[in-house]
Amino acid sequence: MNYSNHPATKEFRQLLRKTETPTERMLWKKLRGKQLDGYRFRQQHGFGPYVLDFYCPSLRLCIELDGGVHDEEKVRLKDEERTLFLEENKIKVLRFRNEEVEQGLDNVLVKIRNYINTCINRSCEGVQTPNPLT
């Protein structure tokens, strides 16, 4: 079953891209255009009933940025449900606090690269190395 970018979420995904947070903008500037080790990331990618902040299909990697609202119990439980759904579909979720990105973007990029390197070294299921020609 194809869960990616269901047409029903298209307008919502477009709205999220137009109204990105300053923190999302910071990270997107470093992920877009295959800047991170040649991997293509998508911003506000739909998967199943969810919209992922950033998604790399070849790595099956979701990156989520969490602000203060994610400290609320109700939201935290929804985040856990979302992570479980994505992991059941073989998508790894890396979560970062907005403050982590704002105060240490380079450290966040190192953590993402560490995950990528771990996957490449372990041949994680579904992970593909980037093709420099695409």
Side-chain angles (χ1 to χ4, degrees):
M1 175 175 260
N2 184 2
Y3 282 119
S4 283
N5 283 332
H6 192 278
T9 65
K10 183 177 181 176
E11 287 182 25
F12 182 58
R13 289 182 280 116
Q14 289 173 330
L15 175 66
L16 289 174
R17 280 191 289 274
K18 288 178 184 174
T19 60
E20 68 185 350
T21 67
T23 308
E24 289 172 337
R25 191 173 308 116
M26 284 178 68
L27 184 55
W28 183 234
K29 284 181 181 178
K30 299 295 184 177
L31 296 178
R32 69 187 301 171
K34 297 185 181 182
Q35 291 182 77
L36 187 72
D37 300 343
Y39 287 96
R40 180 183 307 270
F41 282 83
R42 297 175 180 167
Q43 184 183 35
Q44 304 302 344
H45 178 81
F47 192 86
Y50 303 105
V51 178
L52 316 180
D53 289 341
F54 304 101
Y55 179 64
C56 178
S58 62
L59 293 170
R60 300 196 60 80
L61 173 63
C62 166
I63 298 172
E64 290 292 309
L65 301 183
D66 295 341
V69 71
H70 292 267
D71 293 336
E72 296 175 16
E73 181 70 13
K74 182 178 170 184
V75 176
R76 190 182 58 74
L77 291 173
K78 285 190 175 261
D79 285 345
E80 288 175 9
E81 181 181 298
R82 166 198 203 95
T83 298
L84 182 61
F85 173 81
L86 293 171
E87 288 178 348
E88 285 173 351
N89 284 278
K90 297 181 179 21
I91 294 174
K92 171 67 176 172
V93 179
L94 296 180
R95 289 188 170 279
F96 298 99
R97 301 285 306 181
N98 284 346
E99 298 81 16
E100 282 182 88
V101 176
E102 293 162 357
Q103 297 168 7
L105 179 57
D106 289 337
N107 290 333
V108 168
L109 295 172
V110 165
K111 290 176 184 179
I112 296 168
R113 280 190 173 104
N114 286 343
Y115 170 76
I116 292 170
N117 290 331
T118 299
C119 266
I120 291 170
N121 293 335
R122 289 187 184 166
S123 298
C124 292
E125 185 177 338
V127 170
Q128 304 164 7
T129 55
N131 182 343
L133 300 176
T134 60

